Amino acid sequence: PTLINATDANGDTALHQALRNKKLDKDVIRLLLNKEAKLDTNNKGVYHNNQLIWRGETPLHEALEENENITKEIIELLL
């Protein structure tokens, strides 16, 4: 579970990346969830001139906001 939830410099986990990917491979998403990928990990917010421009988001927020290919089936996997 530790490695599956590792974050990159932006605070993204593998689940953030998988849900942002336009291909939305539900098998990859299911695998990450079966390996205990956390749904509540916020990535880092973006600051400019010490003002928050964009707050950190969970994988579900990323999927809903960033990916027009999201399907009901994938959302149900996340709930």
Side-chain angles (χ1 to χ4, degrees):
T2 303
L3 187 56
I4 206 81
N5 292 305
T7 58
D8 64 14
N10 296 318
D12 289 327
T13 64
L15 190 56
H16 280 97
Q17 295 289 350
L19 289 166
R20 192 179 301 129
N21 187 311
K22 300 299 182 199
K23 294 180 183 175
L24 275 173
D25 186 334
K26 66 180 180 246
D27 293 328
V28 170
I29 294 165
R30 187 177 289 115
L31 173 72
L32 291 169
L33 293 171
N34 287 340
K35 295 294 183 180
E36 300 180 25
K38 292 183 180 180
L39 293 169
D40 61 351
T41 302
N42 284 354
N43 56 15
K44 295 180 181 177
V46 175
Y47 289 85
H48 181 68
N49 293 331
N50 293 327
Q51 290 190 335
L52 183 65
I53 298 173
W54 167 69
R55 62 179 170 72
E57 296 180 327
T58 66
L60 180 57
H61 289 127
E62 285 280 337
L64 294 174
E65 290 183 6
E66 301 291 330
N67 201 327
E68 66 274 359
N69 297 325
I70 194 77
T71 64
K72 180 181 175 189
E73 181 181 10
I74 291 174
I75 292 171
E76 287 173 349
L77 284 174
L78 300 170
L79 300 177

